[in-house]
Amino acid sequence: MLNVDNELIAELRIVLTKQRYSPVVIGNYCAYARGFVEYLAQQNIEVTDVTEAQVAQYLQHAIAMFGQRHGRTPARDWHSIPRSGIHALLRLAQGQWPSAPKATCAADTLRFAICDGYETWLREERGLAAASIDALMWEGRNFLVWQFDRHGPDSLMTMTVSDIDRYMDTRSPHQTRRSVKDVAERLRSMLRYLHRTGRVAIDLSPHVIAPLLYAYEGVPSILTPDQVAAVLQASGEDKTPVGLRDHAILQLLATYGLRSGEICNLRIEDIDWRAESIRIRHTKTQACSFLPLMAPVGEAVLAYLQAGRPVTDAREIFVRTRAPYRKLGLLASMVRQRLAAAGVTPSGKNGSHIFRHARAVEMLRAAVPRKVIGDLLGHRSTESTAPYLKLATEDLRAIALEVPGREMPS
């Protein structure tokens, strides 16, 4: 077993090197992985059989050992370093980490079977995007766990509207009306599937009560042109690799009003430097748009590619600044940090979408036709662009006519 473990650590070192981790990080990860392997050997546990609970148990053991050696407790976030090394080892040994949960009772077996079929149905029959499937699957799993914990795995066929109401009551506190409506829609999807597959006697989905939302009832927060300029100026002064990357992303947000996912999925081959065009894959419609590559955007992206982007095989343009160098996930945190650095405080939400709203309003005020605005934003129809019209209410007020007063008889 010792030789096998040594080979596994050596293989981990090779994998981390290929992923371009720094030599210091590689050394730390391998050292912590070796300590974990030695602990497993003392407990007679195979690396391939390790569970999340056993990793948590080992980390507590490692903290205790740290205290014995150094006479003090480690820093609050110290455990994240050995955990990263251990997780890298387990991904190598098990192929997937965290590993897929294993059924420990009849309820687990039934829940896994339902969720496997539900995921296949969402992907192959409904053709939903991965993000939508993830959200629906989370709600479906949560509902089944809740139902089985209360009434057991045989309770689906006798499930009632009261059960549905009680579940919604548990999900509603501290949620906005929009969020509660989203929960209801996801729950309806699972209930329709359960009825479709004969696991419930009647279709309970019509009985899920959700708040009524009125069309265009909420006004999204936006940035003024001066605020957009301030954010771009502040980010442009940061010449670090992170600053070059963030400035290029902010230029894309401000110029084209792209969605977060459209920027994260932007690939090297999507920019045609000779033709000065950029291809955008719209995440919601799965359609592609070819837009002119504006000079500020091209200059910012080129500066990042030349001096900020780490060497990596990833084809996505924007990647993490630390190994493993894979594409970015979400942009919300970066946008909040850059807004704060520029001294800009939006009145409402402060995610990447506020640049999208600002771009739409700017075009509306420039009398750009709604169809053109919708094409740039990747909307399927002009109705999708309609909510942005309410953001230009100041313009409407400026041209509003006074209502003539009624002449009173003398």
Side-chain angles (χ1 to χ4, degrees), residues 113-137 141 189 193 196 286:
I114 291 174
C115 288
D116 288 344
Y118 183 47
E119 184 173 11
T120 301
W121 180 65
L122 293 173
R123 183 179 61 254
E124 298 183 0
E125 295 195 34
R126 294 193 59 192
L128 299 181
S132 299
I133 293 176
D134 289 343
L136 289 163
M137 290 299 301
R141 291 191 191 98
S189 175
Y193 174 76
R196 176 189 178 95
Q286 306 302 314

Side-chain angles (χ1 to χ4, degrees), residues 45-65:
I45 301 173
E46 295 289 339
V47 179
T48 52
D49 297 329
V50 172
T51 65
E52 292 183 74
Q54 290 168 335
V55 172
Q57 183 179 357
Y58 169 73
L59 289 174
Q60 292 302 316
H61 167 77
I63 291 173
M65 295 301 295

Side-chain angles (χ1 to χ4, degrees), residues 37 44 85 92 116 137 193 199 201 218 238 265 294 300 407:
V37 167
N44 292 319
L92 182 62
D116 288 344
M137 290 299 301
Y193 174 76
R199 296 186 184 276
D238 185 351
N265 292 326
M294 307 304 290
E407 185 177 344

Side-chain angles (χ1 to χ4, degrees), residues 366-377:
V368 176
R370 281 173 54 180
K371 177 64 170 64
V372 176
I373 298 174
D375 289 343
L376 176 63
L377 299 180

Side-chain angles (χ1 to χ4, degrees), residues 281-318:
R281 297 180 180 86
H282 297 291
T283 51
K284 285 193 174 181
T285 62
Q286 306 302 314
C288 287
S289 294
F290 291 86
L291 304 174
L293 182 62
M294 307 304 290
V297 174
E299 292 169 1
V301 172
L302 187 60
Y304 167 63
L305 292 175
Q306 291 177 335
R309 189 174 186 268
V311 178
T312 173
D313 295 332
R315 298 303 299 169
E316 288 82 14
I317 292 178
F318 300 107

Side-chain angles (χ1 to χ4, degrees), residues 106-107 110 147-148 151-159 199:
L110 177 59
Q147 179 67 18
F148 292 166
H151 297 300
D154 299 327
S155 63
L156 289 180
M157 194 59 71
T158 57
M159 192 164 52
R199 296 186 184 276

Side-chain angles (χ1 to χ4, degrees), residues 354-369:
I354 59 176
F355 286 92
R356 184 174 176 83
H357 297 151
R359 187 71 182 107
V361 171
E362 183 181 5
M363 289 187 288
L364 284 168
R365 290 172 178 165
V368 176

